[in-house]
Amino acid sequence: MAIPNYWRSIPQRYRYEAAKCTGCGKIFFPPRIVCDECASRSFETINLSRYGKIVTFTVIRIAPSQFVDQAPYPIGIVELNDGIKICTQIADCNPDDLKIGMPVRLEFRKISQDGTPGIIQYGYKAVPVK
Amino acid sequence: MAGIVGYGAYIPRNRIRVADIAKTWGADAPSYERGLLLKEKSVPSPDQDTITMSVEALRNALQRAKIDAQKIGALYIGSESHPYAVKPSGTVVAEAINAIPDCHCADYEFACKAGSESMFVALSLVEAGQVEYAVGIGADTSQGAPGDALEYSAAAGAAAFIMGKTNVLAEAVVTYSYMSDTPDFWRREHEFYPRHAGRFTGEPAYFSHTIGATKGILEKAGMKVSDFKHVVFHQPNGKFPLRVGKMLGFTPEQLEVGLLTPTLGNTYSAASPLGLTAVLDIAEPGDQILMVSYGSGAGSDAFIWKVTDKITAVQNAAVKTRTLLDENKVYIDYGTYAKYRGKIRMNDNN
């Protein structure tokens, strides 16, 4: 990912900042300029919950070159307690132990790096809550 | 009086047993386990580093402090494993907790003393009235060369402390630092693994500075060893802190709670700070705690903390250090450990 693109998304990647429509209350993650529910352009910034549950997942066994040291690893859709669904890697788990509905928590992790000389990109991954 | 208003720990889930490292190198596992008083150590996953662990430890500290992160005026991270040679770790951590942009930030390095350095400076800024709150973090994903004695102990973890003057959990009674130019352990620029001077790391280095700092702070405070409920020394292995404690007249009971190394390993900059978090997790109002770090090169920072009656309300507000250490562990073999720690030579396109 290009550095400016990554930099622009830091509030979402690091702090889970979302936009809540002040007109109808709908939450957008990532934020939008216009609410697709009520056409309002007025939003307040909120931080999404770090807790949620697994809606569905799949296991990546043949990984892209950047992720071979982590294979096999699950990627899933997680529904946060705010009702927002996000796509994220699920870390710190044995893929065979994962179950739909399992409670998870978002942790701050390295997502990728631009080779050994490039920047390290950070963000969130879901981790099962015991 | 200024002191700790929030504290938090983070320890990765992976563990490798000393016996599995010894088996790989044809070494005698029981002699290493006895010699180092070490059974296993923590290992970071490939997606964890000093920055990610610092963020998680600080989030736990914020859960206890219950303060607005925007009021944090300074944030320091001490580590010998900052992910970048040039680019601060602290800016990432400050962004993650939303302490930007009104925040002073720096990364510290002083071998295993870098964490207590960050605590010292954060505390000093608060005491001076320069900032309302300041953060000091010790974090490391330390490396030992394959087969070297350090490989048996080099571990990963982070501890974060928020310093302030209101709702203080542990008051900083007095601080003292002791240092000299003693080249017992180092890593030159562009070198991957650190080097050490073998047994020279003991008497003239760890023991001399730890004893010097302890005697210095006791004299400065007008206190004696029996005044403390708990004492936390730097813990490069399980043996050194017990021996230095005995030399200074402390009892094993005073060291017990803060001694994590036997099942954690040496978390370098996070070692004595993590020990302090374990003590604060069970401390009672009025307890006096002595903490003495040690960093090769060499020096020790000493702190005397007095626990207040605010502590009991926050101990369960975030995960406890012993829970992170003792529960939900995953044991990995040496091959997985070597892969996770980047010890396997790969093709360039990987």
Side-chain angles (χ1 to χ4, degrees):
Chain A
M1 181 189 295
I3 291 174
N5 195 4
Y6 167 68
W7 177 75
R8 276 194 291 271
S9 62
I10 279 177
Q12 285 71 50
R13 291 172 177 274
Y14 291 13
R15 302 191 295 270
Y16 329 125
E17 280 188 10
K20 184 175 184 180
C21 176
T22 55
C24 67
K26 187 171 180 180
I27 298 171
F28 294 93
F29 184 78
R32 294 175 58 132
I33 296 171
V34 180
C35 176
D36 66 1
E37 196 71 34
C38 69
S40 168
R41 289 173 177 265
S42 173
F43 295 91
E44 63 171 316
T45 300
I46 63 167
N47 297 95
L48 297 177
S49 169
R50 292 174 61 199
Y51 291 86
K53 62 183 179 187
I54 296 172
V55 175
T56 188
F57 67 94
T58 187
V59 178
I60 307 295
R61 298 182 188 279
I62 309 298
S65 59
Q66 284 191 56
F67 301 97
V68 289
D69 54 351
Q70 298 174 52
Y73 59 88
I75 297 276
I77 293 175
V78 167
E79 182 176 354
L80 301 175
N81 289 350
D82 313 88
I84 295 295
K85 294 188 182 78
I86 60 171
C87 180
T88 179
Q89 188 174 330
I90 304 167
D92 279 9
C93 63
N94 179 343
D96 295 336
D97 296 338
L98 286 186
K99 289 184 172 53
I100 288 170
M102 182 180 273
V104 293
R105 183 177 70 124
L106 298 185
E107 277 200 10
F108 197 77
R109 296 292 176 106
K110 279 198 290 188
I111 303 299
S112 63
Q113 55 187 14
D114 188 9
T116 47
I119 68 156
I120 304 166
Q121 299 180 344
Y122 295 92
Y124 52 78
K125 290 185 183 179
V127 174
V129 176
K130 297 288 179 183
Chain B
M1 183 180 278
I4 297 167
V5 301
Y7 69 93
Y10 186 82
I11 299 170
R13 190 181 169 205
N14 307 308
R15 301 285 185 278
I16 185 167
R17 294 184 175 91
V18 164
D20 288 333
I21 300 173
K23 182 181 165 189
T24 301
W25 297 109
D28 181 45
S31 69
Y32 268 97
E33 289 173 344
R34 275 197 313 272
L36 299 172
L37 280 183
L38 192 65
K39 280 175 57 186
E40 60 195 46
K41 67 170 191 172
S42 64
V43 180
S45 293
D47 60 358
Q48 293 178 308
D49 62 19
T50 285
I51 288 174
T52 67
M53 295 191 305
S54 296
V55 170
E56 290 300 323
L58 183 50
R59 282 173 172 172
N60 287 330
L62 282 165
Q63 279 180 231
R64 290 194 170 98
K66 296 183 177 65
I67 62 162
D68 179 358
Q70 282 284 301
K71 292 182 176 176
I72 293 172
L75 188 150
Y76 305 113
I77 303 176
S79 178
E80 65 152 54
S81 49
H82 290 291
Y84 289 95
V86 179
K87 187 196 173 306
S89 300
T91 53
V92 184
V93 177
E95 274 276 5
I97 62 158
N98 201 21
I100 46 97
D102 297 325
C103 189
H104 185 257
C105 176
D107 294 351
Y108 291 127
E109 187 277 323
F110 194 140
C112 298
K113 189 172 89 73
S116 64
E117 271 184 338
S118 71
M119 294 168 65
F120 183 92
V121 177
L123 176 66
S124 300
L125 282 176
V126 170
E127 285 176 333
Q130 292 281 318
V131 297
E132 186 173 0
Y133 296 106
V135 171
I137 298 173
D140 256 314
T141 54
S142 39
Q143 283 275 30
D148 186 83
L150 282 178
E151 192 183 34
Y152 293 85
S153 59
F161 298 88
I162 303 170
M163 307 297 181
K165 283 183 175 173
T166 52
N167 292 322
V168 173
L169 310 176
E171 296 171 344
V173 179
V174 62
T175 64
Y176 178 77
S177 290
Y178 183 97
M179 59 163 276
S180 72
D181 182 12
T182 306
D184 60 321
F185 170 100
W186 63 94
R187 180 165 61 84
R188 294 283 301 275
E189 187 88 285
H190 308 304
E191 289 291 309
F192 191 66
Y193 297 114
R195 305 281 183 142
H196 56 87
R199 289 186 178 275
F200 186 73
T201 60
E203 296 302 333
Y206 176 88
F207 290 98
S208 170
H209 292 80
T210 305
I211 290 170
T214 304
K215 287 182 173 174
I217 198 168
L218 292 180
E219 186 180 336
K220 188 175 175 184
M223 296 172 76
K224 53 188 185 301
V225 295
S226 58
D227 290 333
F228 299 95
K229 181 75 177 288
H230 303 282
V231 57
V232 182
F233 291 117
H234 176 54
Q235 33 203 284
N237 51 53
K239 208 166 201 173
F240 276 22
L242 287 175
R243 192 194 298 170
V244 82
K246 190 175 179 183
M247 292 163 76
L248 286 160
F250 291 99
T251 65
E253 291 74 26
Q254 287 172 293
L255 280 98
E256 186 181 9
V257 177
L259 184 58
L260 310 177
T261 306
T263 53
L264 172 62
N266 179 8
T267 51
Y268 285 48
S269 300
S272 51
L274 268 174
L276 179 61
T277 64
V279 168
L280 292 173
D281 278 343
I282 57 92
E284 295 174 352
D287 285 354
Q288 297 191 113
I289 303 163
L290 172 66
M291 170 189 163
V292 184
S293 67
Y294 171 72
S296 293
S300 287
D301 293 326
F303 302 79
I304 291 174
W305 306 101
K306 185 169 185 182
V307 178
T308 74
D309 58 5
K310 299 278 193 303
I311 192 79
T312 46
V314 305
Q315 285 168 328
N316 290 315
V319 63
K320 292 187 171 182
T321 303
R322 269 285 163 195
T323 303
L324 289 166
L325 185 59
D326 298 338
E327 297 178 14
N328 198 24
K329 295 187 282 190
V330 173
Y331 287 96
I332 58 175
D333 56 22
Y334 191 87
T336 305
Y337 163 75
K339 182 175 77 166
Y340 281 6
R341 301 303 291 132
K343 296 185 177 199
I344 300 175
R345 186 182 292 270
M346 308 286 283
N347 273 337
D348 286 345
N349 61 354
N350 280 329

